[in-house]
Amino acid sequence: MICLYCHSRIREEADLITMFKRRKPLCMPCRKKLSLWRSGGRCGFCHRLVDREEDTCPDCRFLAGNYRRPGKIMCMMDYTGEVKMLFHRYKFTKDAALSEVIAMFLKCRFGEYDMSIPIPVSAARMEERGYNQTSMVLRAAKVPYRDILATDKAARQSELGKRARLTAPNPFYLKEGRAASSLAGKRVLVVDDIYTTGITVHQALEKIYTMKPDAADVLTFSKA
Amino acid sequence: MIIKHMKGEIYMDRGVDPDKYICHRCSNDMKRYFYKYHSAYHGTDVVYCLKCVNIGRSDSVTPLRVIHTARKPEPCRYHLDFELSEAQQAASDRIVEALSAHSDMLLYAVTGAGKTEIVFEAISLARRRGMNVAFVSPRIDVVKEVHLRLSGAFRDSDIDLLYTGVKETFEHRFTVCTVHQLYNYIDHFGLIIVDETDAFPMSSDRQLLNAVRRAAAASSTTVLMTATPDRGMIEFAGAENVVTLTRRYHGHDLAIPKVVWQGITKDVNRRRLPAGLEGLITGILEKGRRVLVFVPEISLMEKLQPLVAAKFPGADSVYSGDEERYGKVDSMRNGRTRVLLTTTILERGVTFKNLDVIVVGAETFNSDSLVQICGRTGRKTDDPVGNIWFLAEYNTGHIRRTIRIIKNFNAGRTTL
């Protein structure tokens, strides 16, 4: 067994407890590094690091003025230098094994929701990467999900500025079919990999709210 | 040939053989260093190599593409601020001879011998003859530092710089990079210089020396440079091709480490600064000198640092994952920090003036590391010796061997 993050071998003592536990593909030092949360005030809604602790940060207030808010936003890892590196390797060098590492950090009661919906990737990104980075993590965590959203967006989000993201038309649409039309009255969880400005998630929610779900929350692996 | 991901002609139908688990790029064949997952997009299982994923993924669904090597001579002048010492000049001549004879070479040189300057003439000659040149090292710090020094000396040349995350390429004719980057080159370089060949991970990964072999052209010269050669390196170069340099460039002896029989873990666990360590640091600071304290483990360093800082304000610590690492090393260099605790990351490639060294838990270090650590002192002409203390709980073969190697260097002998 090797650690999928640092590739060193994991040697674990075999005792009664470890013998019957599923072995995790991450060594202790790496797990410690990746679980670190920077100290400081945080926005009570999107968990962004802010100078002064408050219920909603300017970003959230701005989004609330333009979009309908989700019920809550859950964030699993702090976007530290190490986590940044993790996502860079996972998304841009195509180190797909890291989906198992990220899956280890999902602490969320998925059972409270009727449906988990990952943010889709465009055809261009799919051709480049070969996988949807969000649903791959959900699969590694053994969380059932439904692909009811699709996108025709071409440019990479991380290359766009905030204004460009906001003025662009909503790139998401709901796939035809039973799943989308059965959203009414359901509790829905929208899952995204990295929450930067929040515009992506809010645009996806805009489409989902048209189907009148009972509640919609957001789960994001990390908050930039 | 140079492996490129997006362009060029197909060299292999796929980068990884999914049945035999072999990576055609880095020749990894250990099954645990492959990862397999089902890809809905490709409609099959995908296997990729974890050993070389950092330089672009090699997998079972993408072909390996290559572009062919071009060779072009350039005048390649360089300049040096000083003249080589007699011993340096002799070593430089031997490497130039090896270059003409297309034979390999092992440069076995004491720390602080001025190894980098010794290869300048060979680099210049190789470029004039149109050979592609690579200067590689397993350590990123060394790669960065060497790139600066070579850019300063070879002012008219375009020098590529490659390491994880950084890519500054011209035409792949004169490249400074980490050893891992050589996985992307096949039959390409006429001269390869490997600095700090004994450093991690090259010491424990035979595959990397094979990568050097494969990146070298059919008739080429590979120069391995090290202060502590092992059998594998001597076999690689051939016993008749070992060139030794036992004197530092300034001609002074290396300091011989003084061993103090004292363990520190017990004190540290009781939150006490070990008296011996305190005495040594006080003595060093009173003489107006600086000190690097080498600690075997990060966890021990985290406990020791507050104890040292309580007694000696401003004492800092540094380790590989430290985000402020370069800033801390800089403040040590310009004298703001006078006591710096470090793991083995500062064992090579750094030079501080008026430096003394203390190694705590010396019984846990191996002799390669200890020789390098001792090599940190006395690197400047105006402070040519320095002091070294080993704090050890008990004696080990590695401590004895380190002292023997250093005494042999001072007597003009090598320790093979």
Side-chain angles (χ1 to χ4, degrees):
Chain A
M1 190 83 175
I2 62 164
C3 167
L4 291 177
Y5 190 66
C6 69
H7 297 171
S8 63
R9 294 189 76 172
I10 305 176
R11 287 197 180 81
E12 203 174 47
E13 232 174 288
D15 60 25
L16 263 176
I17 297 162
T18 56
M19 247 167 79
F20 295 103
K21 230 165 61 182
R22 239 189 112 224
R23 300 236 266 160
K24 292 287 195 330
L26 189 63
C27 67
M28 271 326 269
C30 288
R31 180 193 275 227
K32 237 170 115 183
K33 271 192 292 193
L34 292 169
S35 344
L36 220 66
W37 281 74
R38 289 165 294 183
S39 56
R42 293 196 181 256
C43 165
F45 192 65
C46 75
H47 314 293
R48 192 167 76 102
L49 212 51
V50 287
D51 301 333
R52 194 165 47 84
E53 198 146 340
E54 50 191 345
D55 287 344
T56 45
C57 64
D59 267 11
C60 288
R61 283 200 294 276
F62 168 81
L63 283 168
N66 288 276
Y67 299 99
R68 190 173 151 196
R69 295 211 315 184
K72 64 173 171 184
I73 298 174
M74 292 168 279
C75 178
M76 300 291 119
M77 306 164 97
D78 194 18
Y79 204 57
T80 55
E82 208 63 52
V83 174
K84 211 182 272 185
M85 190 67 179
L86 169 77
F87 278 97
H88 176 86
R89 282 174 54 190
Y90 178 46
K91 289 173 68 176
F92 299 109
T93 62
K94 301 196 284 183
D95 199 345
L98 296 174
S99 62
E100 285 190 40
V101 172
I102 300 166
M104 281 176 61
F105 289 88
L106 299 192
K107 299 265 157 31
C108 172
R109 289 200 281 268
F110 291 98
E112 287 182 0
Y113 300 92
D114 297 308
M115 196 186 284
S116 298
I117 304 167
I119 296 286
V121 297
S122 65
R125 230 21 30 82
M126 197 63 168
E127 194 179 329
E128 201 177 277
R129 194 173 295 149
Y131 52 87
N132 175 337
Q133 70 274 12
T134 310
S135 47
M136 184 127 175
V137 170
L138 290 177
R139 203 173 320 131
K142 302 203 163 50
V143 176
Y145 61 90
R146 298 296 288 272
D147 274 316
I148 65 165
L149 281 172
T151 179
D152 47 21
K153 164 177 63 191
R156 221 184 286 271
Q157 281 288 305
S158 46
E159 282 167 5
L160 291 180
K162 189 171 163 189
R163 184 172 298 274
R165 290 192 195 193
L166 193 68
T167 50
N170 190 332
F172 297 106
Y173 57 90
L174 291 164
K175 284 186 191 167
E176 303 283 321
R178 265 215 341 251
S181 50
S182 69
L183 275 179
K186 295 272 174 66
R187 293 184 59 82
V188 172
L189 181 69
V190 176
V191 186
D192 195 9
D193 56 347
I194 297 170
Y195 182 105
T196 310
T197 58
I199 292 168
T200 308
V201 177
H202 283 79
Q203 283 177 332
L205 279 169
E206 193 176 39
K207 296 291 171 185
I208 286 168
Y209 276 133
T210 60
M211 303 314 286
K212 309 240 173 334
D214 200 31
D217 288 349
V218 168
L219 170 77
T220 160
F221 303 152
S222 190
K223 165 83 185 76
Chain B
M1 291 178 286
I2 307 166
I3 295 175
K4 291 270 171 181
H5 284 276
M6 305 313 274
K7 60 180 180 191
E9 65 182 64
I10 291 180
Y11 166 65
M12 284 278 178
D13 286 340
R14 46 196 184 183
V16 168
D17 186 322
D19 306 315
K20 290 190 197 140
Y21 287 96
I22 291 171
C23 173
H24 293 306
R25 198 217 348 233
C26 73
S27 68
N28 166 28
D29 59 356
M30 281 182 283
K31 197 173 169 188
R32 67 169 176 274
Y33 291 114
F34 287 94
Y35 188 77
K36 182 175 173 174
Y37 69 98
H38 181 78
S39 164
Y41 175 75
H42 296 99
T44 67
D45 282 350
V46 174
V47 179
Y48 70 90
C49 173
L50 288 172
K51 273 258 157 163
C52 60
V53 66
N54 284 339
I55 51 169
R57 194 172 94 172
S58 161
D59 63 34
S60 60
V61 289
T62 322
L64 277 189
R65 293 172 182 277
V66 292
I67 56 172
H68 286 279
T69 296
R71 294 188 169 84
K72 189 178 143 202
E74 62 171 327
C76 201
R77 275 182 293 273
Y78 67 95
H79 93 115
L80 259 181
D81 295 334
F82 54 91
E83 237 170 79
L84 294 183
S85 72
E86 214 170 289
Q88 281 178 310
Q89 189 58 51
S92 171
D93 292 345
R94 281 288 301 275
I95 296 171
V96 167
E97 274 170 42
L99 188 69
S100 302
H102 302 303
S103 62
D104 294 334
M105 179 126 291
L106 175 66
L107 180 59
Y108 174 13
V110 57
T111 51
K115 287 187 294 261
T116 316
E117 290 75 17
I118 292 174
V119 294
F120 280 9
E121 185 55 37
I123 290 175
S124 166
L125 188 64
R127 289 298 304 121
R128 272 180 271 152
R129 290 181 184 166
M131 296 162 140
N132 295 320
V133 173
F135 197 116
V136 304
S137 167
R139 309 278 286 216
I140 288 184
D141 315 64
V142 174
V143 166
K144 285 188 205 168
E145 159 117 18
V146 162
H147 184 258
L148 280 178
R149 268 158 84 181
L150 289 178
S151 303
F154 294 85
R155 286 187 191 152
D156 304 327
S157 304
D158 291 331
I159 307 179
D160 294 8
L161 174 63
L162 288 169
Y163 57 89
T164 317
V166 172
K167 220 180 203 174
E168 205 181 300
T169 56
F170 299 97
E171 286 169 308
H172 306 280
R173 299 218 165 92
F174 188 171
T175 303
V176 178
C177 64
T178 48
V179 185
H180 291 89
Q181 299 288 337
L182 290 183
Y183 286 141
N184 277 334
Y185 297 89
I186 303 167
D187 211 3
H188 180 77
F189 294 108
L191 173 64
I192 301 182
I193 297 140
V194 188
D195 199 1
E196 310 284 6
T197 316
D198 56 308
F200 181 83
M202 255 191 118
S203 47
S204 57
D205 195 343
R206 285 277 138 228
Q207 220 179 299
L208 286 170
L209 217 46
N210 293 337
V212 173
R213 228 347 143 230
R214 193 174 69 148
S219 50
S220 63
T221 295
T222 300
V223 181
L224 303 182
M225 305 203 288
T226 176
T228 46
D230 63 23
R231 231 169 245 128
M233 293 177 214
I234 296 169
E235 268 165 34
F236 183 97
E240 68 283 8
N241 293 322
V242 179
V243 176
T244 54
L245 227 75
T246 56
R247 278 279 137 195
R248 297 184 130 183
Y249 73 93
H250 53 50
H252 288 267
D253 273 1
L254 288 156
I256 295 168
K258 300 178 252 306
V259 187
V260 182
W261 302 115
Q262 194 192 34
I264 66 147
T265 39
K266 207 185 256 172
D267 276 332
V268 171
N269 286 337
R270 289 180 187 159
R271 307 271 160 93
R272 282 196 305 234
L273 181 61
L277 185 60
E278 186 184 335
L280 286 176
I281 298 178
T282 312
I284 291 165
L285 294 184
E286 272 170 5
K287 286 191 199 126
R289 301 174 65 82
R290 281 174 273 179
V291 61
L292 273 181
V293 182
F294 284 87
V295 187
E297 277 166 24
I298 295 175
S299 54
L300 180 64
M301 191 169 78
E302 280 170 349
K303 284 187 227 156
L304 184 59
Q305 195 264 336
L307 301 175
V308 176
K311 198 78 195 173
F312 305 99
D316 215 336
S317 67
V318 64
Y319 62 98
S320 60
D322 197 337
E323 286 180 26
E324 296 159 40
R325 171 175 165 185
Y326 300 105
K328 285 177 177 175
V329 171
D330 276 343
S331 82
M332 180 79 182
R333 198 163 280 146
N334 60 31
R336 270 199 302 271
T337 308
R338 295 183 61 206
V339 181
L340 186 63
L341 277 66
T342 172
T343 58
T344 51
I345 54 151
L346 293 188
E347 75 179 27
R348 9 181 133 231
V350 291
T351 298
F352 301 113
K353 235 168 130 176
N354 298 331
L355 184 80
D356 289 339
V357 165
I358 300 172
V359 184
V360 302
E363 70 277 5
T364 54
F365 288 84
N366 67 28
S367 55
D368 295 357
S369 283
L370 288 174
V371 168
Q372 288 294 337
I373 288 170
C374 294
R376 292 312 99 204
T377 62
R379 295 176 75 86
K380 300 269 185 188
T381 322
D382 48 358
D383 173 37
V385 186
N387 303 293
I388 304 154
W389 287 275
F390 288 172
L391 265 56
E393 215 153 321
Y394 48 86
N395 207 350
T396 64
H398 285 292
I399 294 177
R400 282 193 292 268
R401 189 175 142 77
T402 304
I403 294 171
R404 194 168 68 235
I405 289 172
I406 290 175
K407 283 187 172 161
N408 279 345
F409 272 140
N410 288 346
R413 287 194 304 264
T414 54
T415 316
L416 286 178

